[in-house]
Amino acid sequence: MSTNKNDYEHMLFYFAYKTFVTTADDIIEQYGMSRQHHRFLFFINKLPGITIKELLQTLEISKQGSHATLRTLKEKELIIELTSEKDRRVKQLFATDKGNALINELNYAQDHLLQTIQQKVGNNRNVHQLRSRVIKCGLSIKYNITWQ
């Protein structure tokens, strides 16, 4: 058994992350898709007009790894691809009404999970501050973001 004092926190983080992600995975699987489809659709929904290049950079995946996922999202009419008015070589992605509805369903399930946890923990200000710090710290490390 490891003597690392952070092992317990690592386990808690793992199970919290797994629970949060599995909540959406269970729903999106009912639509015949996977977590990658959810990730693509989430960013396309939140950043309307995102280019394929920007999406791939954001998700840190190769162009080759994106073809099947984008094709599925288009075939299921969850996204559309339009040529940029500024540069005809650039393709922009937009969620359709159907895609927005699915993201809303997935977000609602995850929000409901967080609210349920919050109710069990209570409205402890320290919990809110800790959650915010953990998120900001993770983003700071990953993307070199400085927070005020």
Side-chain angles (χ1 to χ4, degrees):
M1 184 78 169
S2 173
T3 58
N4 184 342
K5 68 178 182 173
N6 293 322
D7 284 350
Y8 182 72
E9 288 84 2
H10 293 164
M11 275 192 334
L12 288 176
F13 185 81
Y14 168 78
F15 287 113
Y17 171 78
K18 184 178 181 214
T19 301
F20 183 77
V21 171
T22 301
T23 299
D25 287 351
D26 292 344
I27 295 169
I28 200 132
E29 285 174 8
Q30 295 172 14
Y31 291 86
M33 293 182 287
S34 68
R35 183 177 302 164
Q36 182 157 323
H37 296 94
H38 177 202
R39 292 174 59 210
F40 275 55
L41 187 57
F42 176 83
F43 283 101
I44 294 167
N45 169 270
K46 299 303 173 201
L47 302 168
I50 188 171
T51 66
I52 293 175
K53 182 180 179 180
E54 292 167 339
L55 178 65
L56 299 181
Q57 288 172 340
T58 300
L59 296 173
E60 299 178 344
I61 60 171
S62 70
K63 190 172 184 179
Q64 183 179 4
S66 70
H67 289 298
T69 302
L70 288 171
R71 183 177 59 244
T72 300
L73 293 172
K74 289 180 214 171
E75 288 172 355
K76 292 184 177 282
E77 300 177 346
L78 298 170
I79 65 168
I80 57 171
E81 181 181 299
L82 300 175
T83 302
S84 169
E85 292 178 7
K86 295 177 184 174
D87 184 345
R88 299 190 55 76
R89 297 171 295 174
V90 175
K91 305 294 185 207
Q92 294 179 291
L93 302 169
F94 298 87
T96 63
D97 289 344
K98 190 175 173 182
N100 289 331
L102 178 54
I103 277 297
N104 288 339
E105 180 182 352
L106 295 165
N107 287 348
Y108 176 81
Q110 290 179 319
D111 288 344
H112 181 71
L113 173 66
L114 293 175
Q115 289 172 4
T116 300
I117 292 167
Q118 187 66 47
Q119 288 171 354
K120 289 184 178 184
V121 171
N123 286 325
N124 184 328
R125 183 176 174 171
N126 292 333
V127 171
H128 292 295
Q129 290 174 340
L130 177 61
R131 180 178 65 192
S132 178
R133 277 189 245 143
V134 166
I135 292 168
K136 287 179 178 179
C137 181
L139 290 171
S140 296
I141 292 167
K142 179 74 175 166
Y143 298 105
N144 198 23
I145 297 172
T146 304
W147 301 92
Q148 303 300 335

